[in-house]
Amino acid sequence: MTTTTHDDLTPSVQELRERVDQHFDELLDELKTLVSIPSVSSLPEHQDDVQKSAEHVSKLFNDLGLETEILRADSPFGGQGEPAIVGHTPVIEGAPTVLLYAHHDVQPTGELDRWDGDPFDATVKGDRLYGRGASDDGAGVIVHLGALRTLADDLGLNVRVFIEGEEELGSPSFENFLTTHADKLDADVIVVADGDNWKPGIPAMTASLRGNAVVTVDVRVLEHAVHSGAFGGPIMDAVTIAARMIATLHDEDGNVIVEGLKATDTSDIDWPEDEYREAAGVLDGVTLAGSGDLAARVWTKPSINVIGMDVRSVAESSNTIAPHARFRLSMRVAPNQAPAEARDKLIEHLKAHVPFGAAIDISVEKCSPGFLADLDSEPARDLHWALDTAWDTDAVNKGVGGSIPFISHFKKHFPQAEVLVTGVEDPFTNAHSENESQSIPDLKAAILAEALLLARTAKRARR
């Protein structure tokens, strides 16, 4: 446990803990209600539900005394983006401002027969609550709601809330939203409740996110398919050439060997291989790729995966030489490297490793920046103390192998703000999959942790 103490908070840590206990059953019921609204932003048939969800969440915060409104911004794909809730507490002149972010939209259910029950009828089993959006990110909404309800009149600072409605779509109108409504969102500290804890019972602050760059490669060797018996031998088919190009991206151990990519081999966290294999469903006998700490291989080193390939199917195969093949690569980029720079290095590598003079065309699909938290900042230290105290154990600094592009958008538009990424998910949450669930004890601890963070932030400002 950290030796830093802030037990002189007003209200005290114990009093805040008791308030969370007092309100928690009601907050858990609110989460069940959120789960019951199928706010699937990616499906047109659920657009009314997304609006209903926005109105419900807006009312929840409005009932706490926040002035709320439902807003949209222009989407780059045309029209308006999905509804987001923006609100603020009564203004306290001279006090710091904290922005609380979460999202109210959810993923589709997928195959219903793979669920143990109705995805939109929240069910408690043991110490977990099951249902679509129970964790991602209904729990994040409830954490913000619960922290504000816990502090009530003792808040002592300015709080703004931003509950997005299209995160599961990739937040297409996010930047336009920040630009259009900057005056309603600007803050000194931004708390994002859409991250992961290390394990149930072990909280985490997100220390880093990898960036992402996606490219599509077309390989051509012939104007048209030709008979493999009449012409086979001198001509290498496009599929084999694509495979040989892909094979140049890694060494024999599976390390990415594209020149110019940054990487960090060590991590503060020991990720046991058996736990990783179980969580990922790695088959017996399959050897893990790469070198360095296992956590670093997922969080701070680059990875390149083939995420799609267009070739003639086995069912439609014929004795001809394939004239064309297409493959798509997803490259996760170390948090300390600009993804555009890494993308250019990847393209240079591919162009330099085209066998037999094949014609290639490379198109860029997307490029998303990573994130590195300032772990030495006062807000970060306060968050660590809050997590330690709420869970009564040491919090860890956890990396994330994926990308959350809107984090970098926050930093771009509000460069003075400290962005803190935390959350309530864990390796058993099954976010985006069937039987999504939320640890109930961790939800309660997360509410207390955010209340402690806000109380500590207010106290710093009074010094």
Side-chain angles (χ1 to χ4, degrees):
M1 286 285 293
T2 180
T3 57
T4 304
T5 61
H6 302 297
D7 291 336
D8 56 342
L9 288 180
T10 304
S12 69
V13 171
Q14 182 57 34
E15 184 176 352
L16 290 176
R17 193 182 300 274
E18 291 171 357
R19 291 184 188 181
V20 172
D21 288 340
Q22 177 185 353
H23 295 299
F24 186 69
D25 287 346
E26 182 180 350
L27 290 164
L28 193 61
D29 286 341
E30 292 288 5
L31 179 54
K32 293 176 183 178
T33 301
L34 286 180
V35 170
S36 73
I37 305 173
S39 53
V40 184
S41 55
S42 62
L43 298 178
E45 60 265 33
H46 285 293
Q47 290 306 294
D48 289 345
D49 294 312
V50 176
Q51 180 65 30
K52 178 182 177 182
S53 173
E55 292 171 359
H56 179 75
V57 171
S58 180
K59 185 176 185 304
L60 288 177
F61 285 99
N62 188 257
D63 288 347
L64 281 182
L66 279 74
E67 184 176 323
T68 61
E69 53 189 328
I70 298 173
L71 302 172
R72 299 173 186 254
D74 291 339
S75 170
F77 305 113
Q80 293 272 289
E82 299 301 326
I85 301 93
V86 173
H88 64 86
T89 56
V91 175
I92 303 174
E93 293 297 335
T97 299
V98 177
L99 176 66
L100 306 178
Y101 169 92
H103 64 89
H104 67 93
D105 65 320
V106 300
Q107 282 281 322
T109 59
E111 300 176 49
L112 288 175
D113 60 0
R114 296 179 65 87
W115 287 78
D116 292 338
D118 184 344
F120 298 111
D121 183 9
T123 305
V124 175
K125 297 179 183 178
D127 65 353
R128 301 188 76 89
L129 178 72
Y130 288 80
R132 173 58 84 224
S135 190
D136 183 21
D137 190 28
V141 175
I142 295 301
V143 166
H144 296 330
L145 186 76
L148 294 175
R149 187 173 294 176
T150 297
L151 287 168
D153 293 337
D154 294 314
L155 183 59
L157 45 68
N158 299 303
V159 168
R160 293 172 168 175
V161 296
F162 175 24
I163 312 298
E164 188 190 357
E166 57 180 32
E167 194 275 343
E168 301 296 3
L169 290 172
S171 304
S173 71
F174 195 93
E175 273 215 270
N176 284 342
F177 198 98
L178 296 189
T179 300
T180 304
H181 305 296
D183 60 322
K184 303 175 187 293
L185 302 172
D186 196 8
D188 303 298
V189 178
I190 299 173
V191 180
V192 175
D194 191 25
D196 305 314
N197 287 319
W198 176 228
K199 299 176 183 179
I202 302 180
M205 175 181 172
T206 299
S208 64
L209 298 162
R210 287 193 296 188
N212 189 28
V214 178
V215 299
T216 299
V217 183
D218 284 275
V219 180
R220 292 180 173 82
V221 294
L222 295 165
E223 294 180 355
H224 53 79
V226 297
H227 196 285
S228 61
F231 294 98
I235 302 171
M236 185 73 71
D237 64 87
V239 179
T240 300
I241 286 179
R244 290 172 69 114
M245 290 177 64
I246 293 167
T248 69
L249 300 171
H250 302 85
D251 65 18
E252 291 300 316
D253 293 325
N255 292 294
V256 173
I257 53 174
V258 174
E259 187 175 348
L261 298 187
K262 295 182 179 180
T264 301
D265 287 328
T266 58
S267 172
D268 293 339
I269 295 178
D270 176 31
W271 195 339
E273 182 174 329
D274 59 340
E275 294 182 9
Y276 174 89
R277 296 177 73 93
E278 180 182 4
V282 181
L283 298 178
D284 291 343
V286 175
T287 302
L288 300 186
S291 59
D293 292 350
L294 182 54
R297 280 181 257 171
V298 182
W299 299 339
T300 57
K301 297 187 70 175
S303 66
I304 302 177
N305 293 98
V306 179
I307 60 172
M309 196 167 192
D310 294 336
V311 299
R312 184 185 298 126
S313 69
V314 172
E316 297 177 345
S317 61
S318 65
N319 284 320
T320 54
I321 298 172
H324 171 250
R326 171 182 294 166
F327 61 92
R328 179 166 293 172
L329 300 175
S330 173
M331 178 173 62
R332 300 293 175 171
V333 181
N336 59 337
Q337 184 166 29
E341 176 190 12
R343 174 203 63 205
D344 291 345
K345 299 295 184 183
L346 173 61
I347 292 174
E348 289 175 15
H349 177 97
L350 291 168
K351 289 180 177 179
H353 291 82
V354 182
F356 300 100
I360 68 165
D361 181 65
I362 302 175
S363 56
V364 176
E365 304 301 327
K366 69 175 182 177
C367 206
S368 304
F371 168 72
L372 271 177
D374 181 1
L375 300 178
D376 294 323
S377 69
E378 284 188 342
R381 292 197 301 268
D382 288 344
L383 175 58
H384 256 284
W385 167 78
L387 296 173
D388 291 352
T389 303
W391 266 269
D392 195 27
T393 191
D394 282 340
V396 301
N397 294 320
K398 178 183 179 296
V400 175
S403 307
I404 308 179
F406 69 76
I407 301 295
S408 63
H409 296 329
F410 273 139
K411 291 299 296 180
K412 172 184 174 182
H413 288 267
F414 308 120
Q416 81 291 342
E418 196 67 45
V419 180
L420 306 176
V421 184
T422 184
V424 288
E425 296 180 30
D426 60 57
F428 303 102
T429 290
N430 269 16
H432 296 203
S433 188
E434 65 273 0
N435 296 320
E436 178 181 344
S437 69
Q438 171 60 47
S439 164
I440 295 173
D442 283 353
L443 176 62
K444 179 186 280 190
I447 293 168
L448 175 59
E450 186 163 295
L452 292 171
L453 172 66
L454 295 177
R456 179 59 185 159
T457 303
K459 182 186 175 183
R460 280 197 185 279
R462 292 195 297 267
R463 288 178 177 174

